[in-house]
Each structure stands twice: as structure tokens, then as C-alpha cells.
Amino acid sequence: MATEVSRPTSRRAPRQQIGLIEWLRKNLFSTWYNAIITVILLYLIFQTVTSFVAWMVTAPGWPAAFTNIKLLLTWTYPVEQLWRPQAAMALVLLLLGLSSGLWGGIVRMVAFGAAAVSVLLGFVAFTFPDLPGQTSLPGWLFMFLCAGLLVGGDQAARWIGVKLRWPLIVAWLLSYPAVILILRGGLGLPIVETKLWGGLILTLILAISGIVLSFPLGVLLALGRRSSLPVIRIFCVLYIELIRGVPLVTVLFMGALLLPLFLPGGESIDALVRAIVAVTLFSAAYLAENVRGGLQSIPKGQIEAARALGLNVVQTTLLITLPQALRAVVPVLVGQFIALFKDTSLVVIIGLVDLLGAAQNIVGQPEWLGTPGGVWRETFLVIAAIYWVFSFTMSRISKRIEDQIARSRH
Amino acid sequence: MSGNGSNEPIIICENVNKWYGNFHALKDVSLKVKRGEVVVICGPSGSGKSTFIRTINRLEEHQEGRIIVDGIEMTNDIRNIDAIRREVGMVFQQFNLFPHLTVLQNITLAPIWVRKKTRKEAEAKAFELLERVGIREQAHKYPGQLSGGQQQRVAIARALAMEPRIMLFDEPTSALDPEMVKEVLDVMKTLARSGMTMLCVTHEMGFAREVADRIVFMDQGQIVEEGTPDQFFTNPRNERTKLFLSQIL
Ligand SMILES: Nc1ncnc2c1ncn2[C@@H]1O[C@H](COP(=O)(O)OP(=O)(O)OP(=O)(O)O)[C@@H](O)[C@H]1O
Ligand SMILES: [Mg+2]
């Protein structure tokens, strides 16, 4: 039976890459008018970039951001307590480093990115002024320490191995209350009222709380909107449509001004807590709609297969429909988280001083009045860079998750 | 092929009726299946075959009549339904594998969560089943990376991992390219010969002739004719059966 079959030989795929010259000709100079447009645009880009760089180098306002770095990062958080934000940040970065060693992948990318940024900032931080009465590490030392915690944590976790998994998950769950405890005080630490908080810390606390809290709430609302129980369904629909019908500013005002009227003792509710509640409630409504979109994209056959295997309703939701729905909407969810992160700047309106608020204050300081052109351009560029680093990180994470999912789909 | 001594039917359907709105989809369907019996259900499109076998594990609810599976009556009691679903495995036309889980995870999911097996036990069993359906080496791939025939074999392994007494098949080969039909039918034949009670909706008449103990013909929501493959193919009594056979053979 052994007939000789001539095996088809495989050839290399033809080279897809084309040379630079060829690429230029094909894409930029294909016709005479394309060539003219290319030349004009190149000239404009060149002009813009060179004049921008020239301005960057000579701009007089940079000291405003750097001498006030403490205000930008922590606003009026007491100087003698500044070791506490540092400790909180060190704690989170250590956990991130350990996670990087344990899970690798995206987490490692973020951890090493953060380490690189820390080292870079460490050098920048040599220019930061020492503050009178400072109990914390100098900025440059702290930034190098952060990089060390990230990389060291990574190495340590690799050495310890998988038995770190559950302790680390528990540590992450406890990290949020721990950070709040460190920053706010209690259990023997002196209290630092949240009205003294501000700047980047406030922005991060608001954004992270909003994301972490609105996620489960949004998922519950999405499931509720698809519930077979009319009471739950109607409540969820009303909630979602009501919130989506008003702007975030309104919700913030309601949280800040109306809540105290309705709730007994509402006056005493912390302004920061009210803002977090408002941001969370707002974000959850949008999240619910996005998650619902994901849930609707799951074919009925998936649920039937799960039920036929004997999985109950809760198991089917948690193991089959939700994971698939969430994967389907990762890009949308991350987009929403980025929006939420930036939208937190609206809390200025209810009197909180976040990163943007701090910048606005610095720009108005009397000592910069003499600076020609003012210092707002330089200061706002600095905070724009800070916003960008965080948003960009989130969008990279989203991209990586999408790629991983795509690979399993093939 | 009746199994371990007990001759009482493992599936009893008595005068099952089902409506979709005003549409009468199942009309007084009665059927008894013995342990170890292989029953093939065929009939024209829309005749209610899927609806009927899906009432047996309550993917569809029937409104009148009785369904008793392995001594448990199908009622609205969720505990009865869950008990029956644990005993009844199902394989779908569209495979319905879970795309976010690997082949191994697809197979071990229900044994771990429903049967409360340890991961180790469940995985050992999964590998044994994958060996049986001939795709052990694909255990760590995702369903999307497999061919249709391989996916359907995974789906069969997934159902078998729950160690069901009964297997339901709803046109398991209809969504497959012709060259993959055989690999799935071969697995089903082996399963039939091992003494599994099987209820198969299929148009694969070769399969029916070879392994079915009985063929049931449905039309317009009714069982019109039933008999051994011999009777059914050589000597159909009903006009509609004759017409159907003339079209399909
Ligand atoms: N969810 C539903 N709502 C309303 N009518 C339905 C529903 N499901 C099925 N039907 C109707 O019930 C009848 C029986 O459908 P069923 O799917 O059981 O047929 P079938 O014999 O499996 O056909 P096929 O060979 O095409 O799969 C059909 O007329 C169909 O239109
Ligand atoms: Mg059908």
C-alpha cells in the first residue's frame, strides 16, 4: 500500500517589507500634488516642533511646578506627616512588585514601567526643595526606593514562588483599607482630616475608589437589569436611566449639597466620602450598560450548555456568562475608567482640591506674578504629563488583555 | 443491550404536550427508553425533535404529561431538575463549548463545581476521556483553536465527565464538514456499544442502521412511527415516513 507521495515543499513567504525609499514614494510622493502636500506638512510639523522645543528650553515658568511639587502631589497634607503618603505608596508598589514576580505578563510590564518612571523621577527630584520640618525621605531617595521595591519585590516573589499567591491576593484586598488608615490615621496614628488632602493623592484616591467600587455595583446593576424579577429589573432600569440622564456635576452637587439634607447627620459625612459616593454611583450606571452589552453578546447555547451540565444559575453566571461578557467589553470598560480618572477633576466644583485644583492654585501664587507670560503653561503641561502617564498605562493594559484574548480565540 | 439487570425504563414520557404561545409543538408524545438502549429520533425539519429531547433535561418546559428520568419525576422543583441534569449529558449541534476556557477546563468545570470532585480527580478523568475521544494532546488549547470535529469530541467528553446515565444528542454532526462527521460518529458508536443509554436526533441513517435499537419518526409534533431499524427502513407503515425516507435515502 505504500505508494510514494511527493511531499509538497513549502517556500518562505515572500518578503512583505519594502525599503524606505520605496515606502516614501508609495505613501508620500505618489503624485505631484501628494508631493506638494507632503512638503508643506513636513514644513509645518518642523516649524511647530522646533518652536515648541525652543519654548520648552527657555520657558521661565518651570520652577513653579517643581518648587511646589509638594502641593501638586499632596496639597495641604501636613509636612511633618508626609512620611505617610510615602509609606502608603511604598506599600502599594511593593505589592505590585511581588505581583509582577508572581504573575508576570501585563503586571510585570506595568511594574517595570513604573520602576523606570521612578528612576527617571528620582533624577528630576534632585531639583526638588527640601521642606522645613520634613519627616519624610527626600524625593530622590524615595523614588529610587520605589524602583527598588518594584524590582526587589519582583525578584523576591520569583524566589518564593506560587505559595505567595493567596497571601498576596489577601494583601491586595487589605491594601485599600490599609492605605486609607495610613493616610487618615487612627489606631494610634494622629488623624489627618481629609479636608487637608489634595493634589495627586486625592485624584488617585477618588479614581481608584470610583473604579474599585463602581465595578461590582455596575455588574450587579447589569445583572439586575436582566433579572426575571420585575421589582429588581425596574429598580435597575430606573436607576441606570436616571443617572445616565444627568451630568456628573449634577451628581456631585447632589452628593455634596442634597445628601446632607436628606440623611440625618449628613452634614458630618466627609466631603471626600460624598465625592467618592457620587463618582461611584455615576460610573456604575455607565458600567452597567457596558456590561449588559457584553452579557447580551453571549449566545444562548452557552447558558444551555452550562445548565445541561448541572451548573446552577449562580455558577452559570459567575463561571460562564460574566467572564465572557467582561472579556468582550474590556476595551470599553478601560475607556470608561480612563474617562472616570480624568473626570475626577470636576470635584474642584464642590471644593475639593485635586491635581488640577492644586495646579490652578499654584499658577495664582503671587510670587509668579512677575514671570513674563505667567507660569500656567508650564504647570499645566506638567500635570497633563501626569494624567497622560496614568491614562496611557491603563490603555496599554487594555491592549495587552485584548491581545491575550484574541490569541485564545485564534 | 439492556444493562445491569433492571428492565424498567430509564426514561418514561407519557402524553407530553408543549406549546410555544399558541403553537402546539409537542402533541401527546409518549416514549419509553430502556437502560442501555440507543434510540434515534428523525423527522423533517420543524417536527419537534429538538423540542422533545430538550424537555428531557428541562431546557424546554413541558406543559402537560409526565416525564420520569431514572425514577425522578420532572417537576418545577429545581432540586429535581438539577438531579436529573446531573444524570443526563447533552451534546449540541453547535458544540457550545466555553470559549474562554481551555479544553481541559471545559471538561473539568462541572465535575469540580457540581460533583465536587478535586481538581486532580477531575483532570485525571478528563485526560482519560480525551484519550478515549482521541484528542489528548489538545488538552491545553482553547476551543477556538480546534477543528469542528475535534470540538464536538471535546463536547462529548465534557458531557461524559459528569458520568451521566443517559446521553442526549441533538444533531451532533449537522454543523460539521463532511470529512469530520465520521470521527464524531465513531466516538458515538463506541459509546453506544459500551452500554450507554442514548437518545440521538440525527439524519445519519448509516449510524441509525448500525447502532440504533429503535428508530422513532416524528412529524408535526407527534411520534408517527417507531420500530427497529430493519422494520423502519425496509417496511415503513406510515405514508409520511415513506415520503421522508424517499427524500433522505
Ligand atoms: N422558542 C421557540 N418559540 C416559538 N416556536 C418555536 C421555538 N422553538 C421551536 N419552535 C417551533 O417549534 C417547532 C419545532 O421546533 P424544533 O426545533 O423542535 O424542530 P426540529 O425537529 O428540531 O427541527 P430541525 O430539524 O430543523 O432542528 C418548529 O415549528 C419551531 O418553529
Ligand atoms: Mg432541531
Side-chain angles (χ1 to χ4, degrees):
Chain A
M1 276 299 286
T3 26
E4 200 58 37
V5 180
S6 70
R7 288 185 181 284
T9 49
S10 336
R11 285 193 298 127
R12 258 166 187 275
R15 256 161 57 93
Q16 295 285 321
Q17 256 164 355
I18 50 175
L20 177 65
I21 305 282
E22 211 179 324
W23 184 89
L24 284 176
R25 184 159 41 219
K26 212 168 121 192
N27 292 292
L28 298 177
F29 297 98
S30 53
T31 58
W32 64 267
Y33 52 86
N34 266 350
I36 291 176
I37 294 173
T38 300
V39 168
I40 293 175
L41 282 178
L42 277 178
Y43 175 75
L44 287 176
I45 292 171
F46 177 78
Q47 276 293 312
T48 318
V49 170
T50 49
S51 52
F52 184 69
V53 169
W55 172 80
M56 290 259 286
V57 173
T58 57
W62 295 113
F66 293 105
T67 53
N68 285 304
I69 196 76
K70 191 257 162 193
L71 294 182
L72 277 185
L73 298 183
T74 62
W75 193 231
T76 48
Y77 202 91
V79 178
E80 63 280 8
Q81 301 291 342
L82 274 183
W83 64 272
R84 283 155 65 167
Q86 286 190 343
M89 184 161 167
L91 171 71
V92 172
L93 292 186
L94 177 64
L95 291 182
L96 182 59
L98 290 170
S99 309
S100 148
L102 192 60
W103 287 299
I106 308 171
V107 191
R108 174 162 295 141
M109 192 178 79
V110 173
F112 279 73
V117 171
S118 302
V119 171
L120 198 74
L121 288 180
F123 287 112
V124 178
F126 280 119
T127 66
F128 294 170
D130 274 331
L131 301 169
Q134 176 170 311
T135 55
S136 54
L137 297 176
W140 60 271
L141 185 55
F142 178 65
M143 292 322 292
F144 290 142
L145 178 73
C146 287
L149 284 172
L150 285 162
V151 177
D154 176 85
Q155 294 300 319
R158 284 186 189 209
W159 185 71
I160 299 170
V162 284
K163 60 173 176 285
L164 194 62
R165 191 157 106 215
W166 282 107
L168 193 53
I169 291 173
V170 173
W172 270 119
L173 291 177
L174 293 178
S175 67
Y176 183 77
V179 164
I180 299 295
L181 181 75
I182 294 174
L183 291 179
R184 183 159 183 286
L187 297 184
L189 275 177
I191 301 281
V192 177
E193 301 263 1
T194 56
K195 46 174 185 277
L196 298 175
W197 303 14
L200 182 62
I201 314 187
L202 185 88
T203 297
L204 288 180
I205 296 265
L206 267 173
I208 292 171
S209 310
I211 290 170
V212 170
L213 299 174
S214 69
F215 183 74
L217 187 61
V219 168
L220 284 178
L221 282 167
L223 293 172
R225 189 160 185 175
R226 289 164 55 91
S227 163
S228 50
L229 299 174
V231 183
I232 296 180
R233 193 174 56 239
I234 290 170
F235 172 80
C236 291
V237 171
L238 281 180
Y239 176 85
I240 292 169
E241 296 306 333
L242 191 73
I243 295 283
R244 274 159 43 98
V246 295
L248 175 57
V249 184
T250 320
V251 182
L252 281 171
F253 268 125
M254 296 223 297
L257 304 173
L258 293 180
L259 205 62
L261 294 183
F262 298 146
L263 285 183
E267 281 297 347
S268 61
I269 298 177
D270 196 296
L272 178 57
V273 172
R274 285 185 225 161
I276 289 176
V277 169
V279 168
T280 301
L281 294 181
F282 184 78
S283 181
Y286 285 85
L287 214 127
E289 282 302 272
N290 292 332
V291 172
R292 187 168 73 103
L295 286 170
Q296 267 165 346
S297 72
I298 309 297
K300 224 174 104 220
Q302 290 289 308
I303 298 162
E304 288 178 350
R307 309 289 283 129
L309 283 168
L311 295 170
N312 62 34
V313 183
V314 177
Q315 290 169 333
T316 303
T317 305
L318 291 181
L319 299 169
I320 306 300
T321 36
L322 250 191
Q324 291 189 58
L326 292 179
R327 266 158 227 246
V329 295
V330 164
V332 192
L333 292 189
V334 175
Q336 204 200 319
F337 289 151
I338 292 175
L340 185 153
F341 173 64
K342 293 183 292 185
D343 283 350
T344 54
S345 53
L346 282 170
V347 295
V348 174
I349 291 173
I350 56 168
L352 295 177
V353 183
D354 73 328
L355 182 56
L356 185 67
Q360 275 170 337
N361 267 283
I362 290 167
V363 168
Q365 287 170 346
E367 61 244 62
W368 311 111
L369 286 178
T371 314
V375 296
W376 61 270
R377 292 189 202 90
E378 295 86 343
T379 310
F380 278 72
L381 266 176
V382 170
I383 67 158
I386 297 175
Y387 276 115
W388 182 82
V389 165
F390 283 100
S391 306
F392 181 71
T393 307
M394 284 192 263
S395 98
R396 293 316 296 173
I397 294 172
S398 155
K399 177 82 172 55
R400 279 291 284 258
I401 299 176
E402 275 173 70
D403 288 350
Q404 268 178 1
I405 295 167
R407 233 173 294 139
S408 74
R409 287 273 157 74
H410 203 41
Chain B
M1 274 203 198
S2 87
N4 37 15
S6 147
N7 270 334
E8 145 218 4
I10 191 165
I11 303 174
I12 304 170
C13 300
E14 282 173 1
N15 301 323
V16 173
N17 279 284
K18 160 142 195 93
W19 288 263
Y20 288 113
N22 284 327
F23 178 72
H24 201 168
L26 294 178
K27 300 168 188 159
D28 281 329
V29 175
S30 298
L31 184 73
K32 289 193 173 106
V33 181
K34 289 189 296 240
R35 276 172 211 281
E37 207 179 5
V38 176
V39 177
V40 163
I41 302 173
C42 60
S45 183
S47 55
K49 309 180 294 290
S50 298
T51 308
F52 175 54
I53 75 164
R54 288 157 61 89
T55 56
I56 292 171
N57 64 354
R58 202 28 111 84
L59 288 183
E60 301 289 350
E61 197 176 328
H62 64 288
Q63 282 111 8
E64 280 178 12
R66 296 199 334 148
I67 299 177
I68 299 163
V69 180
D70 204 14
I72 310 168
E73 171 145 20
M74 182 76 75
T75 59
N76 281 328
D77 188 339
I78 192 76
R79 279 167 304 181
N80 281 3
I81 297 175
D82 283 344
I84 289 175
R85 281 178 177 158
R86 282 196 289 272
E87 304 305 325
V88 180
M90 182 155 195
V91 175
F92 301 84
Q93 182 174 358
Q94 301 298 340
F95 327 137
N96 294 349
L97 292 177
F98 307 128
H100 62 302
L101 302 177
T102 63
V103 165
L104 190 62
Q105 290 167 334
N106 261 280
I107 300 176
T108 55
L109 186 79
I112 290 172
W113 288 91
V114 181
R115 287 256 189 255
K116 309 293 181 201
K117 284 194 186 184
T118 65
R119 178 172 305 275
K120 230 171 126 194
E121 283 173 320
E123 287 187 350
K125 176 82 183 166
F127 277 115
E128 184 193 314
L129 286 166
L130 282 173
E131 189 86 59
R132 230 162 103 188
V133 299
I135 39 175
R136 193 192 159 105
E137 67 286 355
Q138 315 283 4
H140 297 289
K141 287 195 181 166
Y142 286 90
Q145 298 166 323
L146 303 183
S147 75
Q150 290 172 328
Q151 290 191 47
Q152 194 60 298
R153 286 185 282 159
V154 173
I156 295 174
R158 177 176 71 177
L160 290 177
M162 286 294 285
E163 293 164 354
R165 307 261 168 90
I166 301 162
M167 285 284 284
L168 308 175
F169 293 83
D170 191 358
E171 305 204 31
T173 56
S174 301
L176 296 177
D177 291 338
E179 73 270 20
M180 293 170 189
V181 170
K182 184 175 174 300
E183 64 191 48
V184 171
L185 287 181
D186 284 345
V187 169
M188 290 171 62
K189 283 176 196 166
T190 321
L191 191 60
R193 296 199 179 102
S194 74
M196 174 66 74
T197 310
M198 289 168 55
L199 215 57
C200 312
V201 176
T202 181
H203 294 139
E204 295 292 335
M205 289 304 142
F207 171 83
R209 216 189 273 268
E210 201 178 325
V211 298
D213 296 305
R214 208 153 27 120
I215 298 184
V216 170
F217 178 74
M218 288 185 72
D219 192 19
Q220 296 177 16
Q222 284 175 314
I223 293 184
V224 181
E225 178 153 359
E226 58 174 290
T228 63
D230 245 9
Q231 274 172 356
F232 184 77
F233 288 113
T234 53
N235 192 15
R237 279 160 300 191
N238 191 290
E239 285 308 312
R240 284 187 277 178
T241 318
K242 285 178 194 162
L243 180 67
F244 176 73
L245 284 174
S246 71
Q247 283 164 346
I248 204 164
L249 290 179

